[in-house]
Amino acid sequence: MFSPGARRWRAPVHAVTLPYLMVLPVVLALVTIVALFFHSDVNVAMMWSQCHSHARIPQLSRIPIIGTPLCGLTSFFHAALDSHRTTALMAVILAYVGALSTVCTLESARPCNAPSRLIRNPTPAWLLFNLVGGAAVWQLIIVPAFLLRAKHHMVADPQLPTANSAATATASGTHPADHHDAHYQVRDRSIPDAEAIAIPVAVTLGYFLPSILMLAFNSYVTILLWLFFPLYVSAIRHIICYAIGKLRTSEPRTVHPEDTPPTLAFFYATPVLLSVLAHVFVIWNLTTPDDRAEMTRSTIKFIEIDFLFIAATVLYWVLVEVGWEVPLIMLGSSIAVGPGAGICLGWLLREKAMLNELEPEPITGHVPHRSDEQTPLLQS
């Protein structure tokens, strides 16, 4: 059984300097680009050429500046979904991306990650990932941002307040509670109770619903709508938080999702369920004849390569932060119940390991309320 406290060696984030931790993501980015180049063929190039000449989807491709790339992306995914086999494969990949969207949005709501603008506001990076960069955005932007934050968040920082600094502050006339509040803010992994409702709903409506529509209908319209899912997730999340703030009659509270079973179930039910269903669907589909046409094989190959390198990058990310046990469990559970469910399980174990690393020194003064399994998401 995995036990964070039983680790015999510290995670690489504690022992390796940041420049060395960044080497593998850069290498993975270069290998991804090379792999995509060597697996490219004339079919994909012809598709983009047809968009450039306005022969394909003229209503879209004729839009100045953005028309040709949007036409190319829409046509690319339309071809990739043009068979039962690739629809099943894409269901697994989309469930995995949905799980990543869930955990990244969760991390953006934690006060401890607020100092990182990219983590606090993941929408631009996710748009770049979905519209332009693919795996390279994870390797060169998203994961490096989290590794940089982990260095400040998990590794001892001499500027963080401690019990000794609090005592020194008392002697100098500063209240120790002020130092504890600063320490708590830097290390706080709870989220506002409104976010505990807004994030799961936003990901479900903003990401999973467009994904299901795209898989079900495989039309240019549903694909074009799906491409901008990061905007929907962000907008729905902020609208719900704003509405809760206006309608609530109680004081805002914080909740640590991993400590409260109802919140935990609410957060991960959709990505886990859809991951399991997609996993079963692709296993069943593998027992049927392969119905992929040549163009479909050409396009799905790009997506599969991108997916594999994103998965490798995420496993490295978690290994750096909390050691080898969690990535190993993530890999095993992904094989058993699907990569999306593997991400969700891995994130629970990652959080336990990170909390174990962040055991605070006893500090006197005001201690913010921490919710437990009996605490409702919103109190009336």
Side-chain angles (χ1 to χ4, degrees):
M1 181 65 68
F2 170 70
S3 174
R7 188 184 299 114
R8 295 184 180 181
W9 59 284
R10 304 209 79 186
V13 71
H14 297 280
V16 182
T17 59
L18 191 63
Y20 288 107
L21 292 177
M22 298 298 184
V23 169
L24 187 57
V26 173
V27 171
L28 285 172
L30 294 174
V31 174
T32 303
I33 294 170
V34 171
L36 291 174
F37 175 79
F38 277 105
H39 284 86
S40 60
D41 58 37
V42 68
N43 290 321
V44 177
M46 287 179 60
M47 182 185 300
W48 284 83
S49 177
Q50 290 170 353
C51 285
H52 183 71
S53 65
H54 311 310
R56 182 182 287 267
I57 325 180
Q59 303 92 329
L60 180 61
S61 62
R62 291 184 183 277
I63 298 175
I65 302 175
I66 63 173
T68 296
L70 285 180
C71 170
L73 282 172
T74 304
S75 301
F76 180 87
F77 282 104
H78 186 268
L81 289 168
D82 196 26
S83 77
H84 291 98
R85 172 64 53 84
T86 52
T87 299
L89 292 171
M90 280 294 294
V92 172
I93 294 171
L94 290 173
Y96 178 80
V97 174
L100 284 178
S101 178
T102 300
V103 299
C104 284
T105 311
L106 169 60
E107 292 301 318
S108 74
R110 299 193 197 270
C112 62
N113 290 324
S116 172
R117 182 178 300 178
L118 191 147
I119 299 175
R120 186 176 69 247
N121 181 21
T123 305
W126 273 80
L127 278 172
L128 190 63
F129 154 69
N130 210 41
L131 297 175
V132 181
V137 174
W138 280 90
Q139 294 150 351
L140 300 178
I141 298 177
I142 298 177
V143 169
F146 275 97
L147 296 185
L148 176 62
R149 187 69 206 129
K151 270 293 187 182
H152 293 290
H153 176 49
M154 295 178 64
V155 180
D157 188 332
Q159 296 185 7
L160 287 178
T162 63
N164 292 333
S165 65
T168 303
T170 302
S172 64
T174 305
H175 198 281
D178 297 334
H179 287 254
H180 177 265
D181 288 341
H183 181 279
Y184 188 83
Q185 179 74 12
V186 171
R187 296 293 180 95
D188 186 11
R189 299 194 61 78
S190 62
I191 63 174
D193 57 354
E195 293 278 22
I197 293 175
I199 292 173
V201 174
V203 175
T204 298
L205 297 181
Y207 174 79
F208 283 112
L209 180 58
S211 299
I212 291 170
L213 292 175
M214 180 175 70
L215 290 174
F217 296 103
N218 189 26
S219 68
Y220 292 131
V221 173
T222 56
I223 294 170
L224 185 62
L225 289 173
W226 174 82
L227 287 173
F228 296 94
F229 74 81
L231 295 177
Y232 315 146
V233 173
S234 178
I236 295 170
R237 174 189 171 189
H238 286 94
I239 289 170
I240 293 175
C241 284
Y242 177 81
I244 290 174
K246 289 294 184 181
L247 297 175
R248 72 185 307 155
T249 58
S250 61
E251 288 296 319
R253 299 172 62 87
T254 61
V255 58
H256 188 248
E258 291 78 7
D259 288 343
T260 54
T263 308
L264 187 64
F266 191 53
F267 248 100
Y268 292 116
T270 300
V272 169
L273 176 62
L274 293 180
S275 174
V276 172
L277 290 176
H279 194 60
V280 172
F281 180 32
V282 79
I283 291 174
W284 171 81
N285 186 267
L286 291 174
T287 65
T288 64
D290 190 342
D291 60 342
R292 292 177 293 181
E294 182 182 356
M295 178 64 80
T296 302
R297 290 178 182 274
S298 298
T299 51
I300 196 65
K301 191 165 29 179
F302 274 79
I303 298 173
E304 289 171 335
I305 292 171
D306 220 49
F307 163 69
L308 290 174
F309 278 103
I310 291 173
T313 307
V314 171
L315 288 173
Y316 172 74
W317 166 17
V318 178
L319 181 146
V320 166
E321 289 184 334
V322 297
W324 62 269
E325 299 102 324
V326 176
L328 188 63
I329 294 172
M330 289 173 66
L331 188 59
S333 57
S334 295
I335 295 172
V337 291
I343 284 288
C344 295
L345 175 60
W347 226 254
L348 300 181
L349 299 177
R350 170 187 179 269
E351 183 64 16
K352 291 181 182 297
M354 294 187 80
L355 288 176
N356 182 70
E357 295 284 354
L358 292 171
E359 284 298 326
E361 299 179 58
I363 302 175
T364 59
H366 169 69
V367 179
H369 173 82
R370 170 161 250 179
S371 303
D372 58 26
E373 62 273 9
Q374 302 300 324
T375 305
L377 294 183
L378 293 175
Q379 292 199 347
S380 58

